[in-house]
Amino acid sequence: MKAAFVSNYINHHQIPFCNEMHRLLKGEFTFVQTEPMEAERVRMGWHEGDRPAYVRCWYEEPEYCRGLLLECDVVLFGGTDDESFIQERLQSGKLVIRLSERLYKTGQWKAVSPRGLKKKYLDHTRYRNKQVYLLCSGAYVPSDFHIVRAYPGKMYCWGYFPETCNYDLDQLFAGKGWETAQGGKVPYLLWAARMIGWKHPELALETARYLKERDLPFHLDMIGDGEMRQEMEELCRSYGLEEQVRFLGFQPPEQVRRHMEKADIFLFTSDRQEGWGAVANEAMNSGCALVADHMIGAVPYLVTNGVNGLVYRDGRQQELFGQVHKLVENRELCHRLGHQAYNTITAVWNAENAAARLLQLMEGLLRGENLEGLTSVDGCFQGRLAPCSPAPILSEGRAGRRVKRAVREQTMCRF
């Protein structure tokens, strides 16, 4: 089998998966990069110069890349809004597997736009009965595409698969916590993202304020930079948190991992605009107890609430504070969730497993097997989903109600 993956540019979140595809296909795999990497991503430590040998750039070799996409058995297409790269292949009726985050990150009400619906029809809906399938990089992707009647029974769970590290767990958890000047340890909280509105760095500081007001010991590191950096530092001072909170600025990916390995709790405070959120994979792989907003795309696929992480409803600050409070007071619970989070990534949601399962799916589709998707939501928030599982159609309202019930049950019982 010969396959190509078309996307805007390769990055450290995609390389482990692409490496495994290249290995499984015995070199018959190419990543076609359609544009140079953004300057901001390079500044964040995403190294464009470290291109694997299987990467070819459309803007450097357009004729070669065009021919490649026509001759491959399977083309994976994601990460670019320009349909011209695969138009010829779509018109030829050859197998295409799209990878997509959600269509309506700022609200499904946008589906009423006539102009938007026309584009969705041209890009997606008109191929509903063709050899075009969808890998859903986020749990709310199927719901968005269901609205525009695209890919019926042809949607599969997917995500991002950064490097998976294997640790000696006794050693990993022994090293967790923030060492104080007095020689003891307090719970170590970590937040890492760009400091922009929909990442909500202010929620990390509000959580720190909540903990301090209750005289709970902790330390919080905030990694990242952006338009809200100065505002966040001023907020930190106004709350009197200078002794508990550090701002570390942008850090290269490998350094972020070092902090995750030491952290007990990872705060993932993005809202619905976080289509996936590969930082969740990395934090869970590092044994952190993840506390995450339920509208983040990765969360329903990766997190079983109360088993390998804790979830709070979008916009419900008190739920966020309550979930963190439990972890700060209960180190055993914190490490138990972190241990299960580690198992989730190393056993299921990793590049090796994703590539192997995708190869099985591709082989089945090429043989013309009937691989229909599901329409239930039973798998989401229950830990029964894996890469290339048929993707449940999870509505935003039902997801919120499931989290509400879970939070209520956690409050009623003792961990």
Side-chain angles (χ1 to χ4, degrees):
M1 184 191 303
K2 189 173 185 177
F5 182 3
V6 183
S7 192
N8 49 7
Y9 47 76
I10 197 161
N11 59 62
H12 68 285
H13 291 158
Q14 296 167 321
I15 287 176
F17 163 72
C18 291
N19 285 347
E20 189 64 13
M21 289 292 290
H22 188 259
R23 186 187 73 81
L24 291 175
L25 292 172
K26 305 185 188 309
E28 295 295 314
F29 172 83
T30 305
F31 185 99
V32 177
Q33 178 167 304
T34 62
E35 61 188 67
M37 187 176 292
E38 302 161 342
E40 183 183 13
R41 299 288 185 183
V42 175
R43 187 165 67 90
M44 290 169 63
W46 296 25
H47 307 298
E48 185 179 19
D50 302 336
R51 288 182 196 164
Y54 51 74
V55 175
R56 307 295 284 265
C57 297
W58 187 286
Y59 48 89
E60 295 173 354
E61 306 174 275
E63 293 305 316
Y64 172 82
C65 292
R66 183 176 292 109
L68 175 70
L69 298 191
L70 283 174
E71 71 181 44
C72 280
D73 298 295
V74 183
V75 168
L76 308 173
F77 184 71
T80 174
D81 293 327
D82 188 346
E83 294 289 305
S84 66
F85 296 111
I86 59 164
Q87 272 303 318
E88 289 182 75
R89 186 172 180 91
L90 289 170
Q91 291 166 4
S92 72
K94 295 182 178 180
L95 179 60
V96 172
I97 301 178
R98 289 181 177 268
L99 296 82
S100 180
E101 293 184 7
R102 63 180 311 179
L103 295 173
Y104 302 114
K105 288 185 177 181
T106 57
Q108 290 183 330
W109 60 269
K110 289 195 171 183
V112 302
S113 164
R115 182 177 179 181
L117 285 174
K118 180 179 179 180
K119 178 168 174 55
K120 302 303 182 294
Y121 172 80
L122 293 174
D123 292 351
H124 303 285
T125 311
R126 62 173 168 164
Y127 299 110
R128 58 184 281 127
N129 296 320
K130 304 293 185 182
Q131 281 204 93
V132 187
Y133 298 80
L134 184 67
L135 296 180
C136 302
S137 298
Y140 302 102
V141 176
S143 178
D144 284 1
F145 279 95
H146 182 67
I147 289 174
V148 299
R149 302 176 64 194
Y151 312 108
K154 299 162 71 176
M155 294 187 282
Y156 299 89
C157 299
W158 198 244
Y160 291 88
F161 305 97
E163 180 184 4
T164 299
C165 299
N166 294 297
Y167 298 99
D168 178 316
L169 292 185
D170 290 338
Q171 183 176 342
L172 176 67
F173 284 99
K176 285 189 174 293
W178 179 261
E179 295 185 5
T180 66
Q182 293 74 35
K185 282 187 176 182
V186 298
Y188 179 15
L189 283 64
L190 183 65
W191 184 95
R194 288 177 291 156
M195 291 193 178
I196 57 178
W198 57 268
K199 300 279 189 179
H200 295 289
E202 77 282 359
L203 290 180
L205 291 176
E206 296 291 352
T207 302
R209 181 190 191 187
Y210 169 93
L211 296 175
K212 181 177 180 180
E213 288 176 346
R214 284 152 183 80
D215 294 321
L216 294 170
F218 74 96
H219 175 85
L220 168 66
D221 274 346
M222 298 188 68
I223 297 176
D225 210 336
E227 60 192 37
M228 295 179 68
R229 170 75 180 269
Q230 182 177 349
E231 179 186 349
M232 292 301 100
E233 291 183 346
E234 291 173 356
L235 187 63
C236 178
R237 287 192 292 271
S238 71
Y239 288 167
L241 293 168
E242 297 96 323
E243 292 185 5
Q244 289 88 7
V245 178
R246 291 193 309 176
F247 291 86
L248 301 180
F250 279 132
Q251 300 283 316
E254 57 273 15
Q255 191 58 40
V256 176
R257 276 293 186 120
R258 301 292 80 80
H259 286 283
M260 288 177 173
E261 291 163 2
K262 295 290 186 182
D264 297 294
I265 302 164
F266 190 88
L267 304 178
F268 198 8
T269 58
S270 298
D271 61 30
R272 60 181 299 133
Q273 294 187 66
E274 189 76 73
W276 178 260
V279 70
N281 303 59
E282 295 170 323
M284 293 173 72
N285 180 213
S286 301
C288 297
L290 186 74
V291 181
D293 187 301
H294 91 279
M295 286 299 293
I296 294 168
V299 170
Y301 283 178
L302 295 184
V303 181
T304 304
N305 202 347
V307 175
N308 66 349
L310 295 175
V311 182
Y312 66 93
R313 283 177 292 168
D314 183 62
R316 305 292 180 121
Q317 287 192 26
Q318 292 302 317
E319 286 185 10
L320 164 62
F321 301 159
Q323 300 288 49
V324 176
H325 191 153
K326 283 184 288 198
L327 296 175
V328 168
E329 285 198 319
N330 190 336
R331 186 175 181 84
E332 180 184 353
L333 169 64
C334 187
H335 285 189
R336 173 157 53 86
L337 296 181
H339 193 289
Q340 292 301 320
Y342 173 84
N343 290 341
T344 297
I345 302 302
T346 56
V348 183
W349 285 93
N350 58 72
E352 292 76 12
N353 191 43
R357 291 175 65 91
L358 179 58
L359 187 58
Q360 291 178 334
L361 176 63
M362 290 161 55
E363 290 171 344
L365 294 176
L366 287 171
R367 290 193 298 267
E369 295 178 359
N370 184 19
L371 302 169
E372 293 188 356
L374 299 177
T375 57
S376 73
V377 298
D378 291 341
C380 287
F381 294 114
Q382 298 299 316
R384 294 197 293 268
L385 297 176
C388 295
S389 296
I393 297 173
L394 177 67
S395 73
E396 298 175 2
R398 182 170 291 189
R401 290 190 293 273
R402 293 170 72 88
V403 174
K404 181 180 180 179
R405 287 196 300 271
V407 171
R408 184 185 299 125
E409 291 169 2
Q410 292 163 13
T411 302
M412 294 172 63
C413 71
R414 297 179 64 183
F415 279 90

mmCIF file of all heavy atoms in Angstrom, residues 262-296:
data_model
loop_
_atom_site.group_PDB
_atom_site.id
_atom_site.type_symbol
_atom_site.label_atom_id
_atom_site.label_comp_id
_atom_site.label_asym_id
_atom_site.label_seq_id
_atom_site.Cartn_x
_atom_site.Cartn_y
_atom_site.Cartn_z
ATOM 1 N N LYS A 262 7.253 16.630 36.723
ATOM 2 C CA LYS A 262 7.295 17.027 38.126
ATOM 3 C C LYS A 262 5.919 17.419 38.659
ATOM 4 O O LYS A 262 5.683 17.390 39.875
ATOM 5 C CB LYS A 262 8.247 18.222 38.299
ATOM 6 C CG LYS A 262 9.708 17.917 37.982
ATOM 7 C CD LYS A 262 10.315 17.009 39.037
ATOM 8 C CE LYS A 262 11.808 16.816 38.813
ATOM 9 N NZ LYS A 262 12.402 15.891 39.814
ATOM 10 N N ALA A 263 5.009 17.797 37.764
ATOM 11 C CA ALA A 263 3.718 18.333 38.191
ATOM 12 C C ALA A 263 2.786 17.233 38.684
ATOM 13 O O ALA A 263 2.738 16.142 38.130
ATOM 14 C CB ALA A 263 3.062 19.090 37.042
ATOM 15 N N ASP A 264 2.008 17.560 39.714
ATOM 16 C CA ASP A 264 0.961 16.668 40.198
ATOM 17 C C ASP A 264 -0.334 16.861 39.411
ATOM 18 O O ASP A 264 -1.024 15.893 39.084
ATOM 19 C CB ASP A 264 0.671 16.947 41.675
ATOM 20 C CG ASP A 264 1.860 16.685 42.576
ATOM 21 O OD1 ASP A 264 2.257 15.513 42.695
ATOM 22 O OD2 ASP A 264 2.399 17.652 43.151
ATOM 23 N N ILE A 265 -0.663 18.115 39.124
ATOM 24 C CA ILE A 265 -1.953 18.479 38.538
ATOM 25 C C ILE A 265 -1.719 19.353 37.318
ATOM 26 O O ILE A 265 -0.930 20.314 37.376
ATOM 27 C CB ILE A 265 -2.814 19.255 39.562
ATOM 28 C CG1 ILE A 265 -3.028 18.422 40.825
ATOM 29 C CG2 ILE A 265 -4.148 19.674 38.945
ATOM 30 C CD1 ILE A 265 -3.531 19.243 42.010
ATOM 31 N N PHE A 266 -2.390 19.032 36.218
ATOM 32 C CA PHE A 266 -2.316 19.876 35.030
ATOM 33 C C PHE A 266 -3.672 20.519 34.809
ATOM 34 O O PHE A 266 -4.690 19.827 34.696
ATOM 35 C CB PHE A 266 -1.904 19.074 33.790
ATOM 36 C CG PHE A 266 -1.598 19.962 32.618
ATOM 37 C CD1 PHE A 266 -0.330 20.470 32.430
ATOM 38 C CD2 PHE A 266 -2.590 20.317 31.716
ATOM 39 C CE1 PHE A 266 -0.048 21.317 31.364
ATOM 40 C CE2 PHE A 266 -2.322 21.154 30.648
ATOM 41 C CZ PHE A 266 -1.046 21.664 30.471
ATOM 42 N N LEU A 267 -3.683 21.848 34.740
ATOM 43 C CA LEU A 267 -4.908 22.612 34.509
ATOM 44 C C LEU A 267 -5.070 22.863 33.020
ATOM 45 O O LEU A 267 -4.226 23.516 32.398
ATOM 46 C CB LEU A 267 -4.850 23.946 35.259
ATOM 47 C CG LEU A 267 -4.611 23.880 36.767
ATOM 48 C CD1 LEU A 267 -4.519 25.292 37.347
ATOM 49 C CD2 LEU A 267 -5.710 23.089 37.455
ATOM 50 N N PHE A 268 -6.151 22.341 32.444
ATOM 51 C CA PHE A 268 -6.421 22.514 31.014
ATOM 52 C C PHE A 268 -7.716 23.304 30.899
ATOM 53 O O PHE A 268 -8.804 22.742 30.952
ATOM 54 C CB PHE A 268 -6.538 21.142 30.354
ATOM 55 C CG PHE A 268 -6.394 21.162 28.862
ATOM 56 C CD1 PHE A 268 -6.024 22.302 28.171
ATOM 57 C CD2 PHE A 268 -6.635 20.007 28.122
ATOM 58 C CE1 PHE A 268 -5.881 22.307 26.792
ATOM 59 C CE2 PHE A 268 -6.501 19.989 26.745
ATOM 60 C CZ PHE A 268 -6.124 21.150 26.088
ATOM 61 N N THR A 269 -7.578 24.623 30.762
ATOM 62 C CA THR A 269 -8.701 25.534 30.930
ATOM 63 C C THR A 269 -9.246 26.116 29.629
ATOM 64 O O THR A 269 -10.051 27.047 29.665
ATOM 65 C CB THR A 269 -8.291 26.697 31.854
ATOM 66 O OG1 THR A 269 -7.149 27.372 31.282
ATOM 67 C CG2 THR A 269 -7.932 26.189 33.241
ATOM 68 N N SER A 270 -8.839 25.592 28.488
ATOM 69 C CA SER A 270 -9.349 26.108 27.211
ATOM 70 C C SER A 270 -10.855 25.894 27.112
ATOM 71 O O SER A 270 -11.429 25.051 27.816
ATOM 72 C CB SER A 270 -8.665 25.395 26.043
ATOM 73 O OG SER A 270 -7.277 25.628 26.041
ATOM 74 N N ASP A 271 -11.484 26.639 26.211
ATOM 75 C CA ASP A 271 -12.915 26.457 25.997
ATOM 76 C C ASP A 271 -13.157 25.674 24.710
ATOM 77 O O ASP A 271 -12.271 24.981 24.206
ATOM 78 C CB ASP A 271 -13.649 27.806 26.008
ATOM 79 C CG ASP A 271 -13.177 28.773 24.916
ATOM 80 O OD1 ASP A 271 -12.742 28.317 23.839
ATOM 81 O OD2 ASP A 271 -13.271 29.997 25.142
ATOM 82 N N ARG A 272 -14.339 25.776 24.150
ATOM 83 C CA ARG A 272 -14.760 24.993 23.003
ATOM 84 C C ARG A 272 -13.894 25.204 21.752
ATOM 85 O O ARG A 272 -13.933 24.398 20.821
ATOM 86 C CB ARG A 272 -16.215 25.315 22.667
ATOM 87 C CG ARG A 272 -16.419 26.781 22.321
ATOM 88 C CD ARG A 272 -17.864 27.120 22.001
ATOM 89 N NE ARG A 272 -18.315 26.368 20.867
ATOM 90 C CZ ARG A 272 -19.468 25.715 20.815
ATOM 91 N NH1 ARG A 272 -20.278 25.733 21.855
ATOM 92 N NH2 ARG A 272 -19.804 25.061 19.735
ATOM 93 N N GLN A 273 -13.118 26.276 21.716
ATOM 94 C CA GLN A 273 -12.286 26.537 20.542
ATOM 95 C C GLN A 273 -11.048 25.649 20.497
ATOM 96 O O GLN A 273 -10.322 25.663 19.505
ATOM 97 C CB GLN A 273 -11.891 28.010 20.502
ATOM 98 C CG GLN A 273 -13.067 28.944 20.292
ATOM 99 C CD GLN A 273 -12.637 30.381 20.082
ATOM 100 O OE1 GLN A 273 -12.004 30.732 19.087
ATOM 101 N NE2 GLN A 273 -12.971 31.235 21.029
ATOM 102 N N GLU A 274 -10.798 24.879 21.563
ATOM 103 C CA GLU A 274 -9.680 23.919 21.565
ATOM 104 C C GLU A 274 -10.150 22.659 20.858
ATOM 105 O O GLU A 274 -10.765 21.784 21.447
ATOM 106 C CB GLU A 274 -9.258 23.608 22.998
ATOM 107 C CG GLU A 274 -7.976 22.803 23.108
ATOM 108 C CD GLU A 274 -6.734 23.647 22.845
ATOM 109 O OE1 GLU A 274 -6.365 24.456 23.702
ATOM 110 O OE2 GLU A 274 -6.149 23.457 21.749
ATOM 111 N N GLY A 275 -9.858 22.569 19.554
ATOM 112 C CA GLY A 275 -10.375 21.455 18.759
ATOM 113 C C GLY A 275 -9.944 20.103 19.290
ATOM 114 O O GLY A 275 -10.738 19.161 19.346
ATOM 115 N N TRP A 276 -8.691 19.972 19.661
ATOM 116 C CA TRP A 276 -8.193 18.741 20.296
ATOM 117 C C TRP A 276 -7.482 19.083 21.596
ATOM 118 O O TRP A 276 -8.022 18.949 22.660
ATOM 119 C CB TRP A 276 -7.281 17.947 19.361
ATOM 120 C CG TRP A 276 -6.720 16.710 20.023
ATOM 121 C CD1 TRP A 276 -5.483 16.565 20.568
ATOM 122 C CD2 TRP A 276 -7.405 15.466 20.269
ATOM 123 N NE1 TRP A 276 -5.327 15.316 21.127
ATOM 124 C CE2 TRP A 276 -6.491 14.618 20.957
ATOM 125 C CE3 TRP A 276 -8.681 15.000 19.978
ATOM 126 C CZ2 TRP A 276 -6.829 13.319 21.350
ATOM 127 C CZ3 TRP A 276 -9.012 13.699 20.362
ATOM 128 C CH2 TRP A 276 -8.094 12.884 21.029
ATOM 129 N N GLY A 277 -6.224 19.535 21.498
ATOM 130 C CA GLY A 277 -5.446 19.865 22.683
ATOM 131 C C GLY A 277 -4.444 18.788 23.017
ATOM 132 O O GLY A 277 -4.614 18.020 23.973
ATOM 133 N N ALA A 278 -3.353 18.703 22.217
ATOM 134 C CA ALA A 278 -2.367 17.641 22.410
ATOM 135 C C ALA A 278 -1.647 17.743 23.741
ATOM 136 O O ALA A 278 -1.042 16.769 24.197
ATOM 137 C CB ALA A 278 -1.348 17.659 21.263
ATOM 138 N N VAL A 279 -1.722 18.903 24.388
ATOM 139 C CA VAL A 279 -1.113 19.044 25.706
ATOM 140 C C VAL A 279 -1.762 18.072 26.696
ATOM 141 O O VAL A 279 -1.118 17.645 27.670
ATOM 142 C CB VAL A 279 -1.224 20.510 26.183
ATOM 143 C CG1 VAL A 279 -2.655 20.888 26.523
ATOM 144 C CG2 VAL A 279 -0.313 20.778 27.355
ATOM 145 N N ALA A 280 -3.018 17.688 26.443
ATOM 146 C CA ALA A 280 -3.667 16.693 27.314
ATOM 147 C C ALA A 280 -2.959 15.349 27.209
ATOM 148 O O ALA A 280 -2.714 14.687 28.226
ATOM 149 C CB ALA A 280 -5.146 16.549 26.940
ATOM 150 N N ASN A 281 -2.644 14.913 25.979
ATOM 151 C CA ASN A 281 -1.900 13.664 25.795
ATOM 152 C C ASN A 281 -0.595 13.698 26.579
ATOM 153 O O ASN A 281 -0.233 12.742 27.281
ATOM 154 C CB ASN A 281 -1.554 13.444 24.324
ATOM 155 C CG ASN A 281 -2.741 13.421 23.397
ATOM 156 O OD1 ASN A 281 -3.495 14.388 23.312
ATOM 157 N ND2 ASN A 281 -2.901 12.341 22.655
ATOM 158 N N GLU A 282 0.134 14.822 26.438
ATOM 159 C CA GLU A 282 1.459 14.930 27.042
ATOM 160 C C GLU A 282 1.380 14.949 28.563
ATOM 161 O O GLU A 282 2.181 14.297 29.243
ATOM 162 C CB GLU A 282 2.140 16.190 26.509
ATOM 163 C CG GLU A 282 2.413 16.137 25.017
ATOM 164 C CD GLU A 282 2.855 17.459 24.438
ATOM 165 O OE1 GLU A 282 2.352 18.504 24.883
ATOM 166 O OE2 GLU A 282 3.690 17.452 23.517
ATOM 167 N N ALA A 283 0.416 15.694 29.101
ATOM 168 C CA ALA A 283 0.279 15.761 30.554
ATOM 169 C C ALA A 283 -0.129 14.408 31.129
ATOM 170 O O ALA A 283 0.399 13.969 32.160
ATOM 171 C CB ALA A 283 -0.745 16.837 30.927
ATOM 172 N N MET A 284 -1.069 13.730 30.466
ATOM 173 C CA MET A 284 -1.502 12.414 30.954
ATOM 174 C C MET A 284 -0.369 11.410 30.849
ATOM 175 O O MET A 284 -0.157 10.596 31.744
ATOM 176 C CB MET A 284 -2.725 11.961 30.167
ATOM 177 C CG MET A 284 -3.962 12.817 30.429
ATOM 178 S SD MET A 284 -5.369 12.416 29.359
ATOM 179 C CE MET A 284 -5.884 10.824 30.048
ATOM 180 N N ASN A 285 0.379 11.458 29.746
ATOM 181 C CA ASN A 285 1.523 10.568 29.585
ATOM 182 C C ASN A 285 2.574 10.806 30.661
ATOM 183 O O ASN A 285 3.313 9.889 31.051
ATOM 184 C CB ASN A 285 2.120 10.768 28.199
ATOM 185 C CG ASN A 285 3.315 9.887 27.904
ATOM 186 O OD1 ASN A 285 4.209 10.288 27.185
ATOM 187 N ND2 ASN A 285 3.365 8.678 28.450
ATOM 188 N N SER A 286 2.620 12.031 31.191
ATOM 189 C CA SER A 286 3.587 12.381 32.230
ATOM 190 C C SER A 286 3.067 12.094 33.631
ATOM 191 O O SER A 286 3.712 12.472 34.619
ATOM 192 C CB SER A 286 3.959 13.866 32.112
ATOM 193 O OG SER A 286 4.510 14.149 30.834
ATOM 194 N N GLY A 287 1.895 11.444 33.722
ATOM 195 C CA GLY A 287 1.372 11.053 35.025
ATOM 196 C C GLY A 287 0.691 12.163 35.793
ATOM 197 O O GLY A 287 0.476 12.041 37.008
ATOM 198 N N CYS A 288 0.314 13.254 35.114
ATOM 199 C CA CYS A 288 -0.404 14.335 35.783
ATOM 200 C C CYS A 288 -1.873 13.959 35.953
ATOM 201 O O CYS A 288 -2.458 13.286 35.103
ATOM 202 C CB CYS A 288 -0.337 15.630 34.965
ATOM 203 S SG CYS A 288 1.310 16.301 34.727
ATOM 204 N N ALA A 289 -2.474 14.439 37.029
ATOM 205 C CA ALA A 289 -3.924 14.381 37.170
ATOM 206 C C ALA A 289 -4.480 15.564 36.391
ATOM 207 O O ALA A 289 -4.281 16.717 36.759
ATOM 208 C CB ALA A 289 -4.319 14.463 38.635
ATOM 209 N N LEU A 290 -5.163 15.277 35.306
ATOM 210 C CA LEU A 290 -5.677 16.314 34.421
ATOM 211 C C LEU A 290 -7.008 16.828 34.956
ATOM 212 O O LEU A 290 -7.897 16.050 35.303
ATOM 213 C CB LEU A 290 -5.862 15.739 33.017
ATOM 214 C CG LEU A 290 -6.273 16.709 31.907
ATOM 215 C CD1 LEU A 290 -5.096 17.592 31.516
ATOM 216 C CD2 LEU A 290 -6.783 15.943 30.690
ATOM 217 N N VAL A 291 -7.157 18.160 35.008
ATOM 218 C CA VAL A 291 -8.440 18.794 35.308
ATOM 219 C C VAL A 291 -8.783 19.641 34.094
ATOM 220 O O VAL A 291 -8.072 20.593 33.775
ATOM 221 C CB VAL A 291 -8.376 19.661 36.576
ATOM 222 C CG1 VAL A 291 -9.738 20.282 36.867
ATOM 223 C CG2 VAL A 291 -7.902 18.840 37.776
ATOM 224 N N ALA A 292 -9.878 19.290 33.396
ATOM 225 C CA ALA A 292 -10.102 19.849 32.062
ATOM 226 C C ALA A 292 -11.547 20.266 31.844
ATOM 227 O O ALA A 292 -12.486 19.653 32.358
ATOM 228 C CB ALA A 292 -9.696 18.824 31.001
ATOM 229 N N ASP A 293 -11.708 21.287 31.015
ATOM 230 C CA ASP A 293 -13.005 21.768 30.549
ATOM 231 C C ASP A 293 -13.637 20.723 29.639
ATOM 232 O O ASP A 293 -12.976 20.162 28.766
ATOM 233 C CB ASP A 293 -12.784 23.079 29.781
ATOM 234 C CG ASP A 293 -14.058 23.785 29.387
ATOM 235 O OD1 ASP A 293 -14.877 23.180 28.653
ATOM 236 O OD2 ASP A 293 -14.242 24.948 29.773
ATOM 237 N N HIS A 294 -14.932 20.472 29.813
ATOM 238 C CA HIS A 294 -15.575 19.381 29.068
ATOM 239 C C HIS A 294 -15.724 19.671 27.578
ATOM 240 O O HIS A 294 -15.938 18.739 26.790
ATOM 241 C CB HIS A 294 -16.948 19.066 29.677
ATOM 242 C CG HIS A 294 -18.103 19.823 29.095
ATOM 243 N ND1 HIS A 294 -18.424 21.116 29.462
ATOM 244 C CD2 HIS A 294 -19.024 19.461 28.169
ATOM 245 C CE1 HIS A 294 -19.488 21.519 28.800
ATOM 246 N NE2 HIS A 294 -19.878 20.531 28.003
ATOM 247 N N MET A 295 -15.586 20.945 27.163
ATOM 248 C CA MET A 295 -15.777 21.274 25.751
ATOM 249 C C MET A 295 -14.493 21.158 24.936
ATOM 250 O O MET A 295 -14.518 21.339 23.716
ATOM 251 C CB MET A 295 -16.354 22.680 25.617
ATOM 252 C CG MET A 295 -17.827 22.777 26.004
ATOM 253 S SD MET A 295 -18.892 21.744 24.961
ATOM 254 C CE MET A 295 -18.720 22.576 23.392
ATOM 255 N N ILE A 296 -13.387 20.852 25.567
ATOM 256 C CA ILE A 296 -12.148 20.606 24.826
ATOM 257 C C ILE A 296 -12.306 19.309 24.040
ATOM 258 O O ILE A 296 -12.747 18.289 24.564
ATOM 259 C CB ILE A 296 -10.965 20.511 25.807
ATOM 260 C CG1 ILE A 296 -10.729 21.866 26.477
ATOM 261 C CG2 ILE A 296 -9.697 20.037 25.111
ATOM 262 C CD1 ILE A 296 -9.777 21.814 27.659
#
